[in-house]
PDB file of all heavy atoms in Angstrom:
ATOM      1  N   SER J 102     -71.640 -19.439  14.958  1.00 90.00           N
ATOM      2  CA  SER J 102     -73.092 -19.651  15.074  1.00 90.00           C
ATOM      3  C   SER J 102     -73.513 -19.715  16.548  1.00 90.00           C
ATOM      4  O   SER J 102     -74.607 -19.280  16.912  1.00 90.00           O
ATOM      5  CB  SER J 102     -73.516 -20.927  14.340  1.00 90.00           C
ATOM      6  OG  SER J 102     -72.798 -22.043  14.837  1.00 90.00           O
ATOM      7  N   THR J 103     -72.638 -20.233  17.399  1.00 88.00           N
ATOM      8  CA  THR J 103     -72.927 -20.277  18.830  1.00 88.00           C
ATOM      9  C   THR J 103     -72.967 -18.867  19.411  1.00 88.00           C
ATOM     10  O   THR J 103     -73.883 -18.519  20.158  1.00 88.00           O
ATOM     11  CB  THR J 103     -71.872 -21.123  19.579  1.00 88.00           C
ATOM     12  OG1 THR J 103     -71.899 -22.451  19.051  1.00 88.00           O
ATOM     13  CG2 THR J 103     -72.127 -21.152  21.066  1.00 88.00           C
ATOM     14  N   ILE J 104     -71.999 -18.039  19.048  1.00 91.00           N
ATOM     15  CA  ILE J 104     -71.957 -16.667  19.562  1.00 91.00           C
ATOM     16  C   ILE J 104     -73.174 -15.889  19.066  1.00 91.00           C
ATOM     17  O   ILE J 104     -73.807 -15.158  19.837  1.00 91.00           O
ATOM     18  CB  ILE J 104     -70.641 -15.968  19.167  1.00 91.00           C
ATOM     19  CG1 ILE J 104     -69.444 -16.688  19.798  1.00 91.00           C
ATOM     20  CG2 ILE J 104     -70.663 -14.490  19.551  1.00 91.00           C
ATOM     21  CD1 ILE J 104     -69.445 -16.759  21.306  1.00 91.00           C
ATOM     22  N   ALA J 105     -73.536 -16.045  17.804  1.00 93.00           N
ATOM     23  CA  ALA J 105     -74.728 -15.367  17.274  1.00 93.00           C
ATOM     24  C   ALA J 105     -75.965 -15.825  18.039  1.00 93.00           C
ATOM     25  O   ALA J 105     -76.833 -15.010  18.393  1.00 93.00           O
ATOM     26  CB  ALA J 105     -74.873 -15.645  15.779  1.00 93.00           C
ATOM     27  N   ASN J 106     -76.041 -17.116  18.326  1.00 90.00           N
ATOM     28  CA  ASN J 106     -77.163 -17.665  19.083  1.00 90.00           C
ATOM     29  C   ASN J 106     -77.206 -17.099  20.500  1.00 90.00           C
ATOM     30  O   ASN J 106     -78.269 -16.751  21.014  1.00 90.00           O
ATOM     31  CB  ASN J 106     -77.040 -19.198  19.095  1.00 90.00           C
ATOM     32  CG  ASN J 106     -78.128 -19.866  19.868  1.00 90.00           C
ATOM     33  OD1 ASN J 106     -77.965 -20.120  21.061  1.00 90.00           O
ATOM     34  ND2 ASN J 106     -79.234 -20.151  19.212  1.00 90.00           N
ATOM     35  N   TRP J 107     -76.051 -16.984  21.134  1.00 89.00           N
ATOM     36  CA  TRP J 107     -75.993 -16.419  22.485  1.00 89.00           C
ATOM     37  C   TRP J 107     -76.415 -14.963  22.481  1.00 89.00           C
ATOM     38  O   TRP J 107     -77.114 -14.513  23.393  1.00 89.00           O
ATOM     39  CB  TRP J 107     -74.602 -16.547  23.063  1.00 89.00           C
ATOM     40  CG  TRP J 107     -74.196 -17.944  23.426  1.00 89.00           C
ATOM     41  CD1 TRP J 107     -74.954 -19.081  23.316  1.00 89.00           C
ATOM     42  CD2 TRP J 107     -72.946 -18.358  23.941  1.00 89.00           C
ATOM     43  NE1 TRP J 107     -74.244 -20.166  23.728  1.00 89.00           N
ATOM     44  CE2 TRP J 107     -72.996 -19.754  24.125  1.00 89.00           C
ATOM     45  CE3 TRP J 107     -71.779 -17.697  24.253  1.00 89.00           C
ATOM     46  CZ2 TRP J 107     -71.932 -20.484  24.608  1.00 89.00           C
ATOM     47  CZ3 TRP J 107     -70.707 -18.418  24.741  1.00 89.00           C
ATOM     48  CH2 TRP J 107     -70.789 -19.800  24.920  1.00 89.00           C
ATOM     49  N   PHE J 108     -75.962 -14.218  21.478  1.00 91.00           N
ATOM     50  CA  PHE J 108     -76.399 -12.820  21.371  1.00 91.00           C
ATOM     51  C   PHE J 108     -77.923 -12.740  21.333  1.00 91.00           C
ATOM     52  O   PHE J 108     -78.535 -11.938  22.042  1.00 91.00           O
ATOM     53  CB  PHE J 108     -75.835 -12.154  20.111  1.00 91.00           C
ATOM     54  CG  PHE J 108     -74.532 -11.437  20.311  1.00 91.00           C
ATOM     55  CD1 PHE J 108     -73.472 -11.661  19.444  1.00 91.00           C
ATOM     56  CD2 PHE J 108     -74.362 -10.510  21.327  1.00 91.00           C
ATOM     57  CE1 PHE J 108     -72.273 -10.984  19.597  1.00 91.00           C
ATOM     58  CE2 PHE J 108     -73.164  -9.826  21.487  1.00 91.00           C
ATOM     59  CZ  PHE J 108     -72.120 -10.066  20.621  1.00 91.00           C
ATOM     60  N   GLU J 109     -78.534 -13.581  20.508  1.00 91.00           N
ATOM     61  CA  GLU J 109     -79.995 -13.570  20.399  1.00 91.00           C
ATOM     62  C   GLU J 109     -80.649 -13.903  21.736  1.00 91.00           C
ATOM     63  O   GLU J 109     -81.619 -13.255  22.143  1.00 91.00           O
ATOM     64  CB  GLU J 109     -80.460 -14.567  19.338  1.00 91.00           C
ATOM     65  CG  GLU J 109     -80.122 -14.160  17.926  1.00 91.00           C
ATOM     66  CD  GLU J 109     -80.540 -15.226  16.929  1.00 91.00           C
ATOM     67  OE1 GLU J 109     -81.676 -15.742  17.032  1.00 91.00           O
ATOM     68  OE2 GLU J 109     -79.726 -15.545  16.044  1.00 91.00           O
ATOM     69  N   GLY J 110     -80.135 -14.912  22.412  1.00 88.00           N
ATOM     70  CA  GLY J 110     -80.684 -15.289  23.712  1.00 88.00           C
ATOM     71  C   GLY J 110     -80.527 -14.188  24.744  1.00 88.00           C
ATOM     72  O   GLY J 110     -81.438 -13.926  25.536  1.00 88.00           O
ATOM     73  N   LEU J 111     -79.381 -13.521  24.737  1.00 90.00           N
ATOM     74  CA  LEU J 111     -79.158 -12.422  25.675  1.00 90.00           C
ATOM     75  C   LEU J 111     -80.050 -11.226  25.368  1.00 90.00           C
ATOM     76  O   LEU J 111     -80.483 -10.518  26.285  1.00 90.00           O
ATOM     77  CB  LEU J 111     -77.683 -12.004  25.672  1.00 90.00           C
ATOM     78  CG  LEU J 111     -76.741 -13.007  26.326  1.00 90.00           C
ATOM     79  CD1 LEU J 111     -75.284 -12.624  26.071  1.00 90.00           C
ATOM     80  CD2 LEU J 111     -77.019 -13.128  27.819  1.00 90.00           C
ATOM     81  N   VAL J 112     -80.348 -11.003  24.089  1.00 92.00           N
ATOM     82  CA  VAL J 112     -81.278  -9.925  23.720  1.00 92.00           C
ATOM     83  C   VAL J 112     -82.657 -10.221  24.299  1.00 92.00           C
ATOM     84  O   VAL J 112     -83.312  -9.341  24.867  1.00 92.00           O
ATOM     85  CB  VAL J 112     -81.334  -9.735  22.191  1.00 92.00           C
ATOM     86  CG1 VAL J 112     -82.519  -8.860  21.784  1.00 92.00           C
ATOM     87  CG2 VAL J 112     -80.031  -9.137  21.677  1.00 92.00           C
ATOM     88  N   VAL J 113     -83.112 -11.463  24.173  1.00 88.00           N
ATOM     89  CA  VAL J 113     -84.417 -11.848  24.734  1.00 88.00           C
ATOM     90  C   VAL J 113     -84.409 -11.648  26.246  1.00 88.00           C
ATOM     91  O   VAL J 113     -85.335 -11.040  26.806  1.00 88.00           O
ATOM     92  CB  VAL J 113     -84.758 -13.319  24.372  1.00 88.00           C
ATOM     93  CG1 VAL J 113     -85.975 -13.799  25.140  1.00 88.00           C
ATOM     94  CG2 VAL J 113     -84.990 -13.455  22.876  1.00 88.00           C
ATOM     95  N   LEU J 114     -83.382 -12.133  26.917  1.00 88.00           N
ATOM     96  CA  LEU J 114     -83.272 -11.993  28.370  1.00 88.00           C
ATOM     97  C   LEU J 114     -83.216 -10.519  28.771  1.00 88.00           C
ATOM     98  O   LEU J 114     -83.910 -10.086  29.690  1.00 88.00           O
ATOM     99  CB  LEU J 114     -82.036 -12.727  28.883  1.00 88.00           C
ATOM    100  CG  LEU J 114     -81.782 -12.643  30.387  1.00 88.00           C
ATOM    101  CD1 LEU J 114     -82.939 -13.292  31.152  1.00 88.00           C
ATOM    102  CD2 LEU J 114     -80.458 -13.303  30.726  1.00 88.00           C
ATOM    103  N   ARG J 115     -82.426  -9.735  28.082  1.00 90.00           N
ATOM    104  CA  ARG J 115     -82.311  -8.305  28.378  1.00 90.00           C
ATOM    105  C   ARG J 115     -83.657  -7.611  28.224  1.00 90.00           C
ATOM    106  O   ARG J 115     -84.044  -6.787  29.050  1.00 90.00           O
ATOM    107  CB  ARG J 115     -81.276  -7.673  27.464  1.00 90.00           C
ATOM    108  CG  ARG J 115     -81.082  -6.192  27.684  1.00 90.00           C
ATOM    109  CD  ARG J 115     -81.781  -5.410  26.573  1.00 90.00           C
ATOM    110  NE  ARG J 115     -81.865  -4.010  26.928  1.00 90.00           N
ATOM    111  CZ  ARG J 115     -82.932  -3.274  26.732  1.00 90.00           C
ATOM    112  NH1 ARG J 115     -84.028  -3.774  26.224  1.00 90.00           N
ATOM    113  NH2 ARG J 115     -82.942  -2.009  27.049  1.00 90.00           N
ATOM    114  N   ASN J 116     -84.386  -7.936  27.165  1.00 90.00           N
ATOM    115  CA  ASN J 116     -85.683  -7.291  26.935  1.00 90.00           C
ATOM    116  C   ASN J 116     -86.702  -7.684  28.001  1.00 90.00           C
ATOM    117  O   ASN J 116     -87.493  -6.842  28.444  1.00 90.00           O
ATOM    118  CB  ASN J 116     -86.198  -7.598  25.533  1.00 90.00           C
ATOM    119  CG  ASN J 116     -85.418  -6.855  24.472  1.00 90.00           C
ATOM    120  OD1 ASN J 116     -84.761  -5.854  24.745  1.00 90.00           O
ATOM    121  ND2 ASN J 116     -85.470  -7.357  23.250  1.00 90.00           N
ATOM    122  N   LEU J 117     -86.674  -8.933  28.420  1.00 89.00           N
ATOM    123  CA  LEU J 117     -87.570  -9.337  29.509  1.00 89.00           C
ATOM    124  C   LEU J 117     -87.268  -8.537  30.774  1.00 89.00           C
ATOM    125  O   LEU J 117     -88.176  -8.028  31.431  1.00 89.00           O
ATOM    126  CB  LEU J 117     -87.430 -10.836  29.790  1.00 89.00           C
ATOM    127  CG  LEU J 117     -88.030 -11.775  28.746  1.00 89.00           C
ATOM    128  CD1 LEU J 117     -87.584 -13.209  29.014  1.00 89.00           C
ATOM    129  CD2 LEU J 117     -89.533 -11.671  28.744  1.00 89.00           C
ATOM    130  N   CYS J 118     -85.988  -8.437  31.101  1.00 90.00           N
ATOM    131  CA  CYS J 118     -85.595  -7.687  32.311  1.00 90.00           C
ATOM    132  C   CYS J 118     -85.923  -6.201  32.173  1.00 90.00           C
ATOM    133  O   CYS J 118     -86.414  -5.577  33.116  1.00 90.00           O
ATOM    134  CB  CYS J 118     -84.106  -7.859  32.577  1.00 90.00           C
ATOM    135  SG  CYS J 118     -83.652  -9.535  33.045  1.00 90.00           S
ATOM    136  N   ALA J 119     -85.664  -5.623  31.013  1.00 91.00           N
ATOM    137  CA  ALA J 119     -85.890  -4.191  30.808  1.00 91.00           C
ATOM    138  C   ALA J 119     -87.367  -3.830  30.901  1.00 91.00           C
ATOM    139  O   ALA J 119     -87.714  -2.707  31.265  1.00 91.00           O
ATOM    140  CB  ALA J 119     -85.338  -3.760  29.458  1.00 91.00           C
ATOM    141  N   HIS J 120     -88.233  -4.784  30.587  1.00 90.00           N
ATOM    142  CA  HIS J 120     -89.673  -4.521  30.619  1.00 90.00           C
ATOM    143  C   HIS J 120     -90.323  -5.139  31.857  1.00 90.00           C
ATOM    144  O   HIS J 120     -91.526  -5.388  31.876  1.00 90.00           O
ATOM    145  CB  HIS J 120     -90.325  -5.013  29.327  1.00 90.00           C
ATOM    146  CG  HIS J 120     -89.802  -4.275  28.129  1.00 90.00           C
ATOM    147  ND1 HIS J 120     -90.162  -2.984  27.849  1.00 90.00           N
ATOM    148  CD2 HIS J 120     -88.916  -4.640  27.179  1.00 90.00           C
ATOM    149  CE1 HIS J 120     -89.535  -2.584  26.756  1.00 90.00           C
ATOM    150  NE2 HIS J 120     -88.764  -3.572  26.329  1.00 90.00           N
ATOM    151  N   HIS J 121     -89.501  -5.398  32.871  1.00 87.00           N
ATOM    152  CA  HIS J 121     -89.964  -5.850  34.187  1.00 87.00           C
ATOM    153  C   HIS J 121     -90.758  -7.151  34.134  1.00 87.00           C
ATOM    154  O   HIS J 121     -91.669  -7.357  34.926  1.00 87.00           O
ATOM    155  CB  HIS J 121     -90.784  -4.756  34.876  1.00 87.00           C
ATOM    156  CG  HIS J 121     -90.096  -3.433  34.910  1.00 87.00           C
ATOM    157  ND1 HIS J 121     -88.984  -3.205  35.686  1.00 87.00           N
ATOM    158  CD2 HIS J 121     -90.337  -2.285  34.250  1.00 87.00           C
ATOM    159  CE1 HIS J 121     -88.572  -1.960  35.501  1.00 87.00           C
ATOM    160  NE2 HIS J 121     -89.375  -1.369  34.632  1.00 87.00           N
ATOM    161  N   ALA J 122     -90.395  -8.007  33.208  1.00 86.00           N
ATOM    162  CA  ALA J 122     -91.057  -9.307  33.135  1.00 86.00           C
ATOM    163  C   ALA J 122     -90.425 -10.243  34.163  1.00 86.00           C
ATOM    164  O   ALA J 122     -89.247 -10.127  34.491  1.00 86.00           O
ATOM    165  CB  ALA J 122     -90.918  -9.893  31.732  1.00 86.00           C
ATOM    166  N   ARG J 123     -91.194 -11.161  34.658  1.00 86.00           N
ATOM    167  CA  ARG J 123     -90.648 -12.121  35.616  1.00 86.00           C
ATOM    168  C   ARG J 123     -89.870 -13.186  34.852  1.00 86.00           C
ATOM    169  O   ARG J 123     -90.181 -13.515  33.703  1.00 86.00           O
ATOM    170  CB  ARG J 123     -91.759 -12.740  36.448  1.00 86.00           C
ATOM    171  CG  ARG J 123     -92.740 -13.563  35.674  1.00 86.00           C
ATOM    172  CD  ARG J 123     -93.817 -14.166  36.578  1.00 86.00           C
ATOM    173  NE  ARG J 123     -94.868 -14.740  35.778  1.00 86.00           N
ATOM    174  CZ  ARG J 123     -94.784 -15.894  35.141  1.00 86.00           C
ATOM    175  NH1 ARG J 123     -93.703 -16.617  35.229  1.00 86.00           N
ATOM    176  NH2 ARG J 123     -95.796 -16.341  34.425  1.00 86.00           N
ATOM    177  N   LEU J 124     -88.863 -13.731  35.504  1.00 83.00           N
ATOM    178  CA  LEU J 124     -88.043 -14.777  34.897  1.00 83.00           C
ATOM    179  C   LEU J 124     -88.302 -16.134  35.531  1.00 83.00           C
ATOM    180  O   LEU J 124     -88.057 -17.161  34.925  1.00 83.00           O
ATOM    181  CB  LEU J 124     -86.552 -14.428  35.026  1.00 83.00           C
ATOM    182  CG  LEU J 124     -86.111 -13.144  34.325  1.00 83.00           C
ATOM    183  CD1 LEU J 124     -84.646 -12.875  34.612  1.00 83.00           C
ATOM    184  CD2 LEU J 124     -86.368 -13.224  32.843  1.00 83.00           C
ATOM    185  N   VAL J 125     -88.821 -16.142  36.776  1.00 82.00           N
ATOM    186  CA  VAL J 125     -89.076 -17.375  37.504  1.00 82.00           C
ATOM    187  C   VAL J 125     -90.388 -17.975  37.005  1.00 82.00           C
ATOM    188  O   VAL J 125     -91.360 -17.270  36.746  1.00 82.00           O
ATOM    189  CB  VAL J 125     -89.142 -17.087  39.023  1.00 82.00           C
ATOM    190  CG1 VAL J 125     -89.458 -18.340  39.805  1.00 82.00           C
ATOM    191  CG2 VAL J 125     -87.848 -16.463  39.497  1.00 82.00           C
TER     192      VAL J 125
END
Side-chain angles (χ1 to χ4, degrees):
S102 57
T103 300
I104 297 301
N106 179 268
W107 289 359
F108 268 131
E109 290 177 46
L111 289 170
V112 167
V113 170
L114 179 62
R115 180 256 167 222
N116 288 340
L117 287 169
C118 293
H120 297 286
H121 309 290
R123 64 179 170 77
L124 298 176
V125 178

